[in-house]
Amino acid sequence: MVGTTLSADEKKQLITRNLQETLGEDKLNKVLQERDLKIYWGTATTGKPHVAYFVPMSKIADFLKAGCEVTILFADLHAYLDNMKAPWPLLELRTKYYEQVIKAMLSSIGVPLDKLKFVKGSDYQLSREYTLDVYKLSSLVTIHDAKKAGAEVVKQVEHPLLSCLLYPGLQGLDEEYLKVDAQFGGVDQRKIFTFSEKYLPQLGYEKRIHFMNPMVPGLAGGKMSSSEEDSKIDLLD
């Protein structure tokens, strides 16, 4: 089935099937009555990707079948901000590795790459406009809200760095700068998504739709994570 031949209800069914949660269903219905949805999925280029990445990849296939415009963000600056999981000199190389691996995963399950847009975070996150918005956001966000938003995504340490508090705000701003209607991620992102819904309108930007996948358990309990060797089955294993 091609996205353009489907009704709004059929597109919605494809977009939301097998998700754990959707925030902003009213907006989703409204957009689908008018046009196809624009969605982004981002991944911080921390450790090597693992087998659980096939879960979001298969969902991206659903989005494309529903006629959505999908952007994949390689969030290199986010990887650095998250307790420097990716050292600065490694960022460029690691991003290239992620791009090759994720394209190979998508191709292996029959997802057409020509329908996808691939973007690197540092290509626009260092712009004057984006940087000004980061400062504006930092004047609105409380330390409590920033810590709470990143609690399940940013690595928790005894003496957290200031960079970890910036992380959720950048992820929220990405929604505006990538010009999307919706962001897709794991259910571990929920607090960042609700953080974005609270703070983006305070900058005069729209509240976005949020789609959440269930998480794949890791080998050591909790979720499978790229940056925790003991938790994952690497794609190259």
Side-chain angles (χ1 to χ4, degrees):
M1 290 190 297
V2 181
T4 51
T5 64
L6 302 177
S7 69
D9 285 343
E10 287 170 326
K11 288 178 183 180
K12 182 184 174 184
Q13 192 176 355
L14 262 178
I15 289 167
T16 58
R17 72 175 179 178
N18 299 325
L19 291 175
Q20 185 160 329
E21 189 176 1
T22 298
L23 299 175
E25 200 164 334
D26 289 346
K27 182 171 181 176
L28 172 62
N29 293 333
K30 185 173 181 290
V31 172
L32 288 176
Q33 292 300 326
E34 298 167 5
R35 57 173 171 80
D36 288 324
L37 201 68
K38 296 176 183 177
I39 303 175
Y40 104 81
W41 174 76
T43 180
T45 50
T46 50
K48 292 177 184 174
H50 48 72
V51 293
Y53 272 63
F54 274 114
V55 176
M57 297 302 111
S58 60
K59 196 63 227 165
I60 286 168
D62 280 346
F63 295 151
L64 291 173
K65 284 175 194 165
C68 301
E69 287 180 33
V70 182
T71 299
I72 290 180
L73 171 67
F74 298 111
D76 49 352
L77 292 188
H78 291 67
Y80 181 74
L81 290 173
D82 188 357
N83 276 294
M84 293 183 291
K85 284 180 184 172
W88 200 261
L90 261 185
L91 279 181
E92 180 70 28
L93 293 169
R94 193 164 280 180
T95 304
K96 285 178 181 171
Y97 177 76
Y98 262 69
E99 184 169 349
Q100 294 303 318
V101 168
I102 284 170
K103 284 181 175 176
M105 291 178 80
L106 288 162
S107 298
S108 75
I109 57 171
V111 178
L113 298 182
D114 57 327
K115 291 186 175 182
L116 290 167
K117 185 178 173 187
F118 294 91
V119 177
K120 191 168 71 173
S122 55
D123 285 346
Y124 67 91
Q125 289 165 347
L126 299 173
S127 70
R128 182 177 185 275
E129 294 77 16
Y130 190 96
T131 304
L132 281 173
D133 272 344
V134 172
Y135 284 125
K136 286 179 189 173
L137 200 58
S138 68
S139 73
L140 299 169
V141 176
T142 65
I143 290 173
H144 170 268
D145 280 4
K147 281 178 75 173
K148 182 181 169 187
E152 292 186 48
V153 176
V154 179
K155 187 178 181 184
Q156 300 302 298
V157 293
E158 190 178 348
H159 301 292
L161 300 170
L162 177 60
S163 59
C164 301
L165 299 179
L166 294 174
Y167 188 114
L170 266 67
Q171 190 168 333
L173 287 173
D174 290 339
E175 297 178 348
E176 176 63 26
Y177 280 79
L178 293 171
K179 300 300 175 195
V180 294
D181 306 301
Q183 185 180 172
F184 165 56
V187 76
D188 62 330
Q189 307 274 335
R190 192 183 198 283
K191 288 175 183 171
I192 289 183
F193 291 165
T194 54
F195 171 96
S196 303
E197 291 182 7
K198 176 180 178 179
Y199 283 106
L200 276 191
Q202 294 186 42
L203 288 175
Y205 299 141
E206 281 179 46
K207 188 162 73 170
R208 264 56 180 197
I209 304 159
H210 294 105
F211 301 121
M212 283 163 273
N213 250 355
M215 301 304 295
V216 176
L219 302 177
K223 64 179 181 181
M224 197 171 287
S225 170
S226 292
S227 54
E228 291 179 29
E229 291 296 330
D230 294 342
S231 81
K232 66 175 181 173
I233 301 171
D234 198 290
L235 282 162
L236 301 182
D237 286 345

